[in-house]
Structure formats: structure tokens, C-alpha cells
Amino acid sequence: PDVVQEENTDGNSQKSSIDFRDITEAYEHLLHGKHITLATREAMEATISINEEEEYRQACKTILGIPAEIVEESKQNPMFLHWLGGNTDGAQHWRSFFAAYGGLGQKLRR
């Protein structure tokens, strides 16, 4: 299960770990929120070096077998993110890839 429930002393259940979907929603809020200005987005894109982008592109092709553009597009798809939170072998493979290559953050220079 994505969330582990624990009973506290008054008998109410509370979350003892964070749900993957909660983290994803928080990330999307930070990424697409109105509090991020155009200048900040450009600064984020500028932090990705050409070498980092090339390494990421190569990893996408080698490990996942698809172009990096499709991986980046998938990160923006709510259905994909829901699937990614599941307990399948495929979802685990993708989560392992994201753990090694920058998570759900943008990895391509625009």
C-alpha cells in the first residue's frame, strides 16, 4: 500500500508515511504554480547542462527504450503519474529510473 496507517492513543488513524500521489501533487503545484515567474523557469532550464541532458537522453534510450521527449511528456500526464504510484513491476522499473535520473523534474533544456 502507498500509505501506512497507524493508530494513535485516542483511537484515530493518522498517516505515518507520505503518499506518492501527495508528493506528486505538491511537485506539480510547485512546478506549475503561479508563484513561479518566467525568469525562475528560465533559470531552472539553465541549470541543466548540455552533458546532463545528453546523459539523460542516452539513459532514456538505453534503460527505457524510448526517446527522452516521450519520458518528459509522460511526466506531465496525470494517468501516467497515477500508474507510476502503483505496485507493478513496470511502475517499479520507472520509479527506479527516476530515482537515478532526477525524479519527476525537468531534465531537458528547452
Side-chain angles (χ1 to χ4, degrees), residues 97-109:
F97 174 82
F98 288 141
Y101 292 97
L104 296 174
Q106 175 182 326
K107 294 300 289 179
L108 298 180
R109 300 165 60 92

Side-chain angles (χ1 to χ4, degrees), residues 6-110:
E6 238 179 42
E7 288 224 1
N8 58 19
T9 56
D10 63 0
N12 293 332
S13 291
Q14 64 184 26
K15 287 184 183 180
S16 63
S17 66
I18 299 175
D19 186 358
F20 176 80
R21 289 181 218 57
D22 291 340
I23 294 170
T24 301
E25 288 172 8
Y27 169 79
E28 288 175 353
H29 171 73
L30 292 174
L31 182 63
H32 300 295
K34 294 179 181 175
H35 63 283
I36 298 178
T37 65
L38 181 58
T40 305
R41 289 179 196 264
E42 290 171 353
M44 285 177 20
E45 291 171 1
T47 62
I48 301 167
S49 72
I50 294 171
N51 289 339
E52 286 175 318
E53 180 180 2
E54 188 55 40
E55 180 183 327
Y56 180 72
R57 287 180 181 280
Q58 188 65 32
C60 289
K61 271 296 213 196
T62 304
I63 297 169
L64 300 175
I66 58 175
E69 289 80 9
I70 294 176
V71 175
E72 291 298 303
E73 186 177 320
S74 297
K75 291 179 187 180
Q76 304 302 316
N77 185 317
M79 289 178 63
F80 173 80
L81 296 174
H82 178 75
W83 171 82
L84 189 61
N87 196 24
T88 64
D89 290 343
Q92 178 60 39
H93 180 72
W94 278 73
R95 285 193 304 267
S96 295
F97 174 82
F98 288 141
Y101 292 97
L104 296 174
Q106 175 182 326
K107 294 300 289 179
L108 298 180
R109 300 165 60 92
R110 302 256 182 217

